Amino acid sequence: MTFQLIGVNHRTAPLEVRERFAISESKLPAAVQQLAQHPGVEEGMIVSTCNRVELLARSRNGGSDLRTFLSQYFQIDAREFDQHLYEYADKEAIRHLFRVTSSLDSMVVGEPQVLGQVKEAYAVARAVGTVNSQLDALVTRAFAVAKKVRTETAVGSSAVSVASVAVELAKKIFGSLSGKTVMLVGAGKMCELAARHLLAHGAGSIFMYNRTYERAQKLAQKFGGQALPWDQLYDSADKADIVITSTGAPVAIFRREHAERFLARRRNRPMFFIDIAVPRDVDPEVNRLDGIFVYDMDDLQQVVSSHVADRGREAQRAEDIVNDEVERFLARMQTLDVVPTIVSLQDHLETIRQAEIDRVRGRLGELTPEQELAIEAMSRGIINKIMHTPITTLKTAAREEQGTTVIDVVRRLFNLQRKPEKDKSESAANGAKH
């Protein structure tokens, strides 16, 4: 078992770096397939959100060079980003994944969106066949840990999200959202959440834009807003006091020349952009204009800090649950490592037992049913006694550092042949018979 994880997130890398590593939804399936084909990688998945890009892999023969994959895929020199990259293996990789799905590694601790984002990444990897064995067991366990954390702690109470924090920031700037005209650009979950919070805090008119008009229309109907065609975006954006934008565009859709026109039409009334997209939808040059206020993902961190302080105690309880679950998962995986050996030992000794019974049956003559049962019970009893010590030793060693050595010794003593890995996972699923 070798789990590896490499990535950047909102704490290790500024927005301009995270933009370099962002992978759009449409390109994610091909990227995951490339990862799975990288030397040494057996299984893989990629999580790419506005706050993090992480590669998770199960590798063979001591690991894979995931930094090389980053260099090749993004056509960059990964060494330039060393100070922003984090890399974990095995126990620490498991712990990190559990913390991510439990929202303990999020910008807004306790926010529920990250779990859905990891589930979407998992679904993509499953669809293209790059998650199917031990990595599958790890990720599905991470989902269960997240549920346990949310059920047994209050870390998710008064749930906030990036979208709700963005709305909170707007209230701090305008004082009240009552009567403010809001424009949502993008029709994803972030915008849907923003719309819900804006309405709850008294926002007036809501206009919605999406490159797919039908999606904007569907969202507008849901919240009583108005959908407008994408080609009218720059003609009517000046009517909005607040623009919340979260698209998957690879380049900025609001540039300085657009903002200058907006200000002229608004007769210099202030305009507020909340950019929760990565890569950013609003060019940083826009923020240099008087009367235009642009807040991006990194700016939201200031609002988030207060939430983190309030949730400190519950977050610590959640961390304790994660640590316990890491140990349990490791113990389970290490036990699975010995299952193929135990199954092979059982098959080997059963073959010997059957061969010996067949060999002596001819000399014993015709046996009564009672005699057959007696021979069966006696021979099985002998086999079970022989297997007891090796199997007990294997199960104990599975939880210790020398587990691999013990497995090799038992295999050599009984001349057990290794089965292909796919059989190993099947054996693990079936469990040892003893």
Side-chain angles (χ1 to χ4, degrees):
M1 175 190 70
T2 299
F3 293 121
Q4 291 180 263
L5 185 146
I6 189 170
V8 295
N9 67 17
H10 58 283
R11 282 197 302 276
T12 67
L15 200 46
E16 55 267 28
V17 172
R18 303 204 301 275
E19 288 174 331
R20 297 284 302 274
F21 289 92
I23 302 173
S24 66
E25 185 178 338
S26 61
K27 294 181 178 177
L28 191 59
V32 177
Q33 287 177 312
Q34 286 189 42
L35 173 62
Q37 293 167 2
H38 189 66
V41 173
E42 291 281 348
E43 301 177 82
M45 64 178 277
I46 299 175
V47 178
S48 181
T49 74
C50 53
N51 277 328
R52 70 183 66 246
V53 176
E54 293 181 346
L55 281 58
L56 177 62
R58 181 178 70 83
S59 54
R60 59 177 179 271
N61 299 330
S64 176
D65 185 355
L66 296 182
R67 286 176 186 257
T68 297
F69 175 82
L70 288 177
S71 295
Q72 294 173 346
Y73 182 80
F74 292 103
Q75 297 184 334
I76 59 173
D77 184 350
R79 292 173 297 182
E80 295 178 15
F81 300 94
D82 266 351
Q83 70 271 32
H84 303 296
L85 290 169
Y86 48 84
E87 193 164 9
Y88 302 116
D90 292 333
K91 185 175 182 178
E92 292 309 313
I94 296 168
R95 187 193 312 282
H96 182 80
L97 179 64
F98 285 5
R99 293 188 76 250
V100 169
T101 56
S102 301
S103 191
L104 296 175
D105 195 56
S106 296
M107 175 185 287
V108 183
V109 174
E111 58 89 8
Q113 279 68 48
V114 69
L115 178 59
Q117 291 165 334
V118 177
K119 285 184 175 180
E120 289 172 3
Y122 169 70
V124 170
R126 288 273 296 177
V128 298
T130 60
V131 169
N132 49 48
S133 180
Q134 293 184 25
L135 190 58
D136 187 275
L138 171 61
V139 179
T140 53
R141 189 60 204 162
F143 297 153
V145 172
K147 182 179 180 181
K148 185 174 183 179
V149 166
R150 193 158 290 274
T151 302
E152 298 185 8
T153 75
V155 73
S157 64
S158 301
V160 292
S161 64
V162 170
S164 68
V165 169
V167 173
E168 185 177 330
L169 186 58
K171 287 180 65 180
K172 286 183 177 179
I173 291 175
F174 287 102
S176 169
L177 297 182
S178 179
K180 298 299 178 189
T181 300
V182 177
M183 186 171 80
L184 301 182
V185 184
K189 291 180 181 177
M190 285 288 191
C191 277
E192 185 171 338
L193 284 168
R196 183 174 291 112
H197 284 281
L198 286 165
L199 289 173
H201 290 88
S205 307
I206 295 182
F207 297 96
M208 299 179 181
Y209 290 87
N210 190 271
R211 291 187 188 277
T212 304
Y213 178 71
E214 288 73 20
R215 292 187 66 184
Q217 200 171 32
K218 186 177 180 181
L219 192 61
Q221 290 171 350
K222 191 172 184 179
F223 293 105
Q226 182 181 359
L228 294 171
W230 183 260
D231 57 11
Q232 295 181 17
L233 176 66
Y234 300 120
D235 296 330
S236 54
D238 59 285
K239 296 181 176 62
D241 299 298
I242 303 169
V243 177
I244 298 181
T245 181
S246 176
T247 75
V251 296
I253 59 175
F254 292 107
R255 298 185 295 277
R256 185 184 179 99
E257 60 267 28
H258 299 132
E260 288 174 340
R261 289 203 296 271
F262 299 157
L263 278 177
R265 293 178 200 153
R266 289 175 64 83
R267 299 184 179 177
N268 292 320
R269 282 184 294 121
M271 194 172 180
F272 179 40
F273 284 83
I274 300 176
D275 185 357
I276 50 181
V278 178
R280 284 170 287 188
D281 284 342
V282 183
D283 191 310
E285 283 296 311
V286 173
N287 202 31
R288 296 180 182 275
L289 297 174
D290 292 337
I292 295 280
F293 302 90
V294 180
Y295 283 77
D296 59 30
M297 290 297 292
D298 283 355
D299 297 321
L300 296 178
Q301 183 69 49
Q302 295 177 8
V303 184
V304 167
S305 58
S306 61
H307 293 288
V308 173
D310 292 342
R311 295 177 179 207
R313 189 173 61 181
E314 291 304 312
Q316 185 54 56
R317 289 184 59 207
E319 294 281 7
D320 293 341
I321 290 174
V322 166
N323 289 336
D324 289 344
E325 290 295 332
V326 169
E327 296 300 330
R328 288 182 184 177
F329 183 79
L330 277 173
R332 177 170 174 267
M333 294 306 291
Q334 288 166 344
T335 300
L336 290 181
D337 282 343
V338 304
V339 168
T341 299
I342 292 174
V343 172
S344 294
L345 180 60
Q346 290 170 327
D347 290 345
H348 178 67
L349 295 181
E350 175 63 15
T351 300
I352 294 175
R353 187 185 74 85
Q354 288 289 351
E356 287 302 305
I357 290 177
D358 292 343
R359 188 174 65 83
V360 300
R361 190 183 299 278
R363 287 184 287 174
L364 293 175
E366 186 174 350
L367 299 173
T368 66
E370 291 76 12
Q371 289 172 326
E372 289 279 3
L373 288 174
I375 290 175
E376 185 76 11
M378 179 190 67
S379 59
R380 286 194 181 280
I382 293 172
I383 293 300
N384 286 338
K385 288 184 184 298
I386 293 172
M387 287 195 299
H388 177 73
T389 298
I391 289 178
T392 302
T393 303
L394 283 167
K395 287 182 175 179
T396 301
R399 296 187 289 272
E400 299 171 351
E401 293 183 357
Q402 71 272 24
T404 304
T405 303
V406 173
I407 291 172
D408 288 341
V409 168
V410 171
R411 286 193 166 277
R412 288 190 180 191
L413 284 174
F414 291 92
N415 192 28
L416 304 177
Q417 301 301 313
R418 290 190 180 277
K419 293 182 178 180
E421 193 159 351
K422 63 179 182 180
D423 292 337
K424 175 181 173 180
S425 62
E426 290 170 2
S427 298
N430 295 331
K433 298 173 184 175
H434 186 71

